[in-house]
């Protein structure tokens, strides 16, 4: 097996909603395992059976994994610009469509999607869960107007 890298997002109890929303926005195949779907023998805590132990969304652009934060642990701060998920697409129009889906789903634009000083298209949006998504498309993929 060759090495792989996937993003992991710990959410504050709403992982099922977030991953379902992300599948609606980005497409792909969603594998979602709740604690109630697992044999919990030997588990050092008693989790809520409805909480997500592990989720994996296999999108055309790559994998997003995550779950609900462990009981007793604070979920990481959301709605922050210290991190983002960068999604590269083929065309500026494809990025605009994905950004609009996030906004229509209760998110907001953080940085308008436009031609950036370095020559590529770039912009950012927060989804309704507070996760920041950055979008990029190369200049050579098209010079559509903003």
């Amino acid at each position: 097996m060759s090495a792989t890298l996937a993003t992991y997002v710990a959410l504050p109890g709403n992982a099922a909603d977030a991953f379902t929303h992300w599948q609606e926005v980005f497409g792909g195949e969603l594998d979602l395992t709740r604690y109630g779907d697992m044999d919990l023998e030997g588990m050092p805590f008693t989790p809520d059976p409805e909480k997500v132990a592990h989720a994996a969304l296999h999108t055309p652009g790559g994998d997003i994994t995550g779950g609900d934060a462990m009981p007793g642990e604070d979920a990481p701060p959301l709605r922050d610009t210290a991190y983002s998920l960068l999604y590269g697409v083929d065309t500026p129009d494809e990025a605009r469509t994905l950004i609009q889906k996030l906004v229509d789903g209760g998110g907001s634009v953080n940085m308008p999607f436009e031609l950036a000083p370095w020559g590529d298209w770039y912009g950012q949006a927060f989804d309704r869960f507070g996760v920041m998504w950055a979008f990029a498309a190369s200049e050579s993929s098209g010079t559509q107007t903003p």
Side-chain angles (χ1 to χ4, degrees):
M1 178 170 133
S2 62
T4 63
L5 177 66
T7 300
Y8 188 93
V9 180
L11 292 146
N14 57 355
D17 291 338
F19 275 86
T20 300
H21 177 64
W22 296 338
Q23 183 184 33
E24 292 167 359
V25 171
F26 298 102
E29 181 181 329
L30 177 59
D31 299 319
L32 194 126
T33 303
R34 295 177 191 273
Y35 284 104
D37 300 331
M38 302 168 53
D39 176 8
L40 301 177
E41 187 175 332
M43 193 73 108
F45 59 91
T46 305
D48 180 335
E50 292 302 310
K51 296 300 178 190
V52 175
H54 183 72
L57 178 59
H58 309 285
T59 74
D63 294 342
I64 306 166
T65 61
D68 288 313
M70 301 291 263
E73 292 182 358
D74 291 330
L78 297 176
R79 186 90 181 150
D80 193 351
T81 58
Y83 67 92
S84 63
L85 303 178
L86 177 61
Y87 203 85
V89 294
D90 292 332
T91 69
D93 285 341
E94 185 179 357
R96 285 188 195 92
T97 297
L98 293 171
I99 291 167
Q100 192 59 52
K101 285 181 178 182
L102 290 174
V103 170
D104 290 347
S108 62
V109 171
N110 186 54
M111 178 184 289
F113 187 78
E114 55 192 29
L115 200 53
W118 58 87
D120 291 337
W121 293 85
Y122 181 82
Q124 303 168 347
F126 281 102
D127 66 21
R128 71 176 180 241
F129 303 98
V131 174
M132 189 172 91
W133 296 86
F135 294 90
S138 70
E139 180 183 20
S140 64
S141 64
T143 55
Q144 293 92 331
T145 55

